[in-house]
Each structure stands twice: as structure tokens, then as C-alpha cells.
Amino acid sequence: MDALLERLRTGLPAEALITDPDITASYAHDMASFCEAGSPAVVVLPRTVEEVQHVMRTATALRVPVVPQGARTGLSGAANASDGCIVLSLIRMDRILEISPVDRIAVVEPGVVNATLSRAVNEHGLYYPPDPSSWEMCTIGGNIGTASGGLCCVKYGVTAEYVLGLEVVLADGRLLNTGRRTAKGVAGYDLTRLFVGSEGSLGIVVKAVLALRPQPPQQLVLAAEFPSAAAACDAVCRIMERGHTPSLLELMDRTTVRAVNAMASMGLPESTEALLLCAFDTPDPAADLAAVGELCAAAGATEVVPAEDVAESELLLQARRLALPALETVKSATMIDDVCVPRSRLGAMIEGTAAIAEKFGLTIGVCAHAGDGNTHPVVCFDHTDADESRRARESFDEIMALGLELGGTITGEHGVGVLKKEWLARELGEVGLEVQRGIKAAFDPLGLLNPGKLF
């Protein structure tokens, strides 16, 4: 410990190091349940690339593991500390270095908060689409590490589709540049995409070149009430089959609707079994909503309500944004799953989750990015009740098994971290796991970067 601190101090200002155990303990974990976390030896908060390089050279020389962190809003334990590690928090590297309306790019450091970037590019008439539900807190570096998504993925895609290039500090302290800042480029292997979603296990992202889009018109939202989740999912299939491109297509089940009403008195229809929200940011969103409304009615919707203006649309979207906070009030703890299935199997996924909730005697609310099949079953349980905690974990596993059985994946946007290591192995298979471990070894032969995550 003394040798580690002495060596770190040779290249870092005093204020960049935190050794008080009461403070370092607060950096030990992210927001995931059931994920072990160790006690870090030190927390480092660098401001420059050179300081990050110094940390990694020190870690390599002394064989000390390094756990990179952003805002710790993750839900898989990917930012959890290991005993005796260096926690490398990048939140002070928070500069927007460039916004180019001509090239439609932004160049940022990893600690820039998603909402801060979004507002900054909006001032130039531009748009950065990825919008995780934690966008007011989460950082771009964390978004890159977990390949985050958000409400707009059905039209605009996930973080990976907006990362053009990266500067990455490797495990031994060398600086690697990947990708480009041009609109096109196919030189060499696509190392940029390899780092997106790698959860800090291959290198430390210290700069990112992000693609931007022109700012779209303000969207209008439609709400449709259904007598069953199956009917709502049928509507989703009809909408996508007819070639519509909504900017948002979200589903809330009965449990979620009631939780939101209980917390915020939103006045949502509690008689509904499923509430579907659909939005368009096209030049004529009212016409698009009318067409979708007809499809919802044909699928069995009992009521279809298109918003008349932006203010009403925002009120409907606020209900969706409150879904997870509302479910967190149902019990003392939650486990938030993140299973993505083909759109055509969305109904089976939601119905199967309801059966799992009944089997284990638990409250499980489902909100979903229905347009891309990404479900978020939220298991609500009393963490002080050992039996209920056990049932919560077992139900979580059965939900993931159901997702794989339906041809899906164990995570659409939250990452693997500690929580889903065993399930990643099942999804990848023996050969896939061997190849991925080989990639990890090529970038991090000593296994110092975020050990115990992914594999």
C-alpha cells in the first residue's frame, strides 16, 4: 500500500488521491443488487490523459488491479471495486473539447454527463440521440463502457452507432487511437466497436469522437390502453410490420402503471393491462399518430389518446420515465433485468415473466423499449427477508433463461458486469467464450483491468 501510494504521488496532484476508507467505500459499487464489491486501496480522480497513463504504468509495475468508473449509475456491477484495487474515477475529465456542425461530431472527455452534451449540441441545432434513463447523471464514458441505449433506440439506435473514434489508455499506459472523425472509414479492424461495451476490461477511454445528427422536430406522443399485454405486443408488431419509424415505442404493464400512479398521481388508467406509448418526430407527427392509432385499435386497444401538443406529450413521457423509480417504492429493493428478444416474441416474454412472478409469489413490473424488444422486468422484494431475496434471485435467473429460450440476449443495454457473468457464458457458448477471453488477454495480458467482470 505504501509503495503504491508513493509511486502514484510522483505523477498525480494531491487532490487526485483519496485514501480515507470512509470515502473510498462510497466508490465501491454501482447501483446493482446481488453484486459483490471489494474495498479499494485508493481512489484516483485524474484530470488529464497523462495522469491516467501514470496510473496504468504504476498499476502494471506493481501488478495492482484497476477498476474504471463513471457516475456509477450502472445496473450490473460492472463498476464494482475489487479488494486492494485502484478505483479510477473519470468524472473530473468532463470537458466538451469540440462541437463541429459541419462534420456533425462532438469530441468529449469520458466524464461529460450525457444530458450536458445533449444540451450543448442542441444549441448548434444538433442532436445526440442515446438517452439512457439516467441521462441527467450518467457519463459518456460509462455509456460507452456498457453500450447504453435509451428510449429513442427504436429509431436512432444505441451508443455504439454514435462512437466514431476513441483515445484509449491501455493496461501498460500506452495511448491507442482508434477509428476516425470522418463520415466514412474502414481502415483496419474496427477496434472502436470492440471497446464499446467492453466495460473497461480492455482499456481506459479518455476521449471519444461522437457522431451527431440534425435536431429533429419536437415529437408528439400517443397513448393506447390495452386489455392484455399480448394485445399491446400485437400492436407493436403491426406498427413495425407496416414500416412505421416511431421515435419512441414504449410499453408499461399493469404493475408498472399502478406503481407510477401511486407515486406521482399521474392519473393513468389503472384498469389497463398494458399501456403503449408511441411517438413521432417527423414533419407531420399527427398524421403518423393517426395511422398508428388505427393499428392499435385493430389490435384491440380499448382507448387511443394522441397528444395535442408538446406539453401533453411530455406529460405522457414523464409517466414512462417514472416507471423505474416508482417500482423501487413497491418494496425495499429491486433487481432490474435487461432481456432483449425479437419483437415477434415480445408478447411471449412479457406473459412468461408474469408466470414467473406468480410462480415465485413476487411483484415483477415490466417496462419495455417495445420497439426493439428490450424488456426491463423489475423484481421487487424485501432485502431483509432471506427467503424473499432468494426467490428474487431465482426469478431473475428464470427471466434470463426465458429470454434465451425465445431467441434473445441477456442484456440489451445494461451490460454484463458481475451480475450476468454465468449467463454470458451460456449465451456465447464454449467457442465464443474462448475467443472473447483471447481478445481480453491480447489487450490486458496481466488481467489488471476490471478483473472479475464479464468472464
Side-chain angles (χ1 to χ4, degrees), residues 13-263:
E15 65 269 17
L17 292 170
I18 299 175
T19 57
D20 184 332
D22 290 333
I23 300 177
T24 59
S26 67
Y27 287 83
H29 56 84
D30 61 17
M31 299 177 69
S33 300
F34 292 108
C35 292
E36 293 183 359
S39 299
V42 59
V43 174
V44 180
L45 295 101
R47 291 188 182 275
T48 69
V49 173
E50 291 74 19
E51 289 175 2
V52 175
Q53 290 180 285
H54 174 69
V55 171
M56 293 314 305
R57 292 183 186 119
T58 299
T60 294
L62 299 180
R63 303 299 194 264
V64 178
V66 176
V67 175
Q69 290 183 348
R72 304 192 309 280
T73 58
L75 295 165
S76 67
N80 284 13
S82 53
D83 284 333
C85 76
I86 299 169
V87 163
L88 185 59
S89 174
L90 299 160
I91 57 173
R92 291 182 180 173
M93 297 181 69
D94 60 356
R95 294 179 300 161
I96 298 174
L97 302 172
E98 179 185 354
I99 296 173
S100 172
V102 174
D103 294 326
R104 293 183 181 173
I105 61 169
V107 183
V108 305
E109 292 183 327
V112 172
V113 171
N114 184 294
T116 301
L117 174 63
S118 295
R119 293 180 181 121
V121 302
N122 288 166
E123 293 178 4
H124 296 267
L126 297 170
Y127 176 45
Y128 180 66
D131 61 342
S133 59
S134 59
W135 77 304
E136 292 280 8
M137 299 178 289
C138 64
T139 62
I140 295 298
N143 294 168
I144 291 170
T146 57
S148 299
L151 300 184
C152 70
C153 293
V154 61
K155 180 174 182 177
Y156 293 104
V158 296
T159 296
E161 295 166 65
Y162 294 88
V163 183
L164 297 177
L166 296 170
E167 279 192 8
V168 182
V169 175
L170 298 178
D172 60 6
R174 290 179 297 163
L175 187 63
L176 170 69
N177 284 279
T178 77
R180 63 193 195 279
R181 53 182 290 144
T182 55
K184 296 166 63 178
V186 293
Y189 296 128
D190 191 351
L191 297 181
T192 302
R193 289 295 285 263
L194 188 61
F195 281 100
V196 178
S198 66
E199 300 183 17
S201 65
L202 301 179
I204 311 296
V205 172
V206 290
K207 187 185 295 183
V209 180
L210 305 174
L212 305 174
R213 292 197 177 197
Q215 191 169 3
Q218 288 187 298
Q219 62 185 1
L220 287 182
V221 178
L222 169 148
E225 179 183 352
F226 289 88
S228 69
C233 294
D234 179 31
V236 170
C237 292
R238 291 171 186 245
I239 292 167
M240 302 309 293
E241 185 180 25
R242 292 293 181 89
H244 292 288
T245 309
S247 55
L248 172 148
L249 191 55
E250 297 288 306
L251 184 148
M252 299 162 63
D253 73 350
R254 174 183 59 187
T255 300
T256 306
V257 168
R258 291 180 177 176
V260 170
N261 273 345
M263 185 181 79

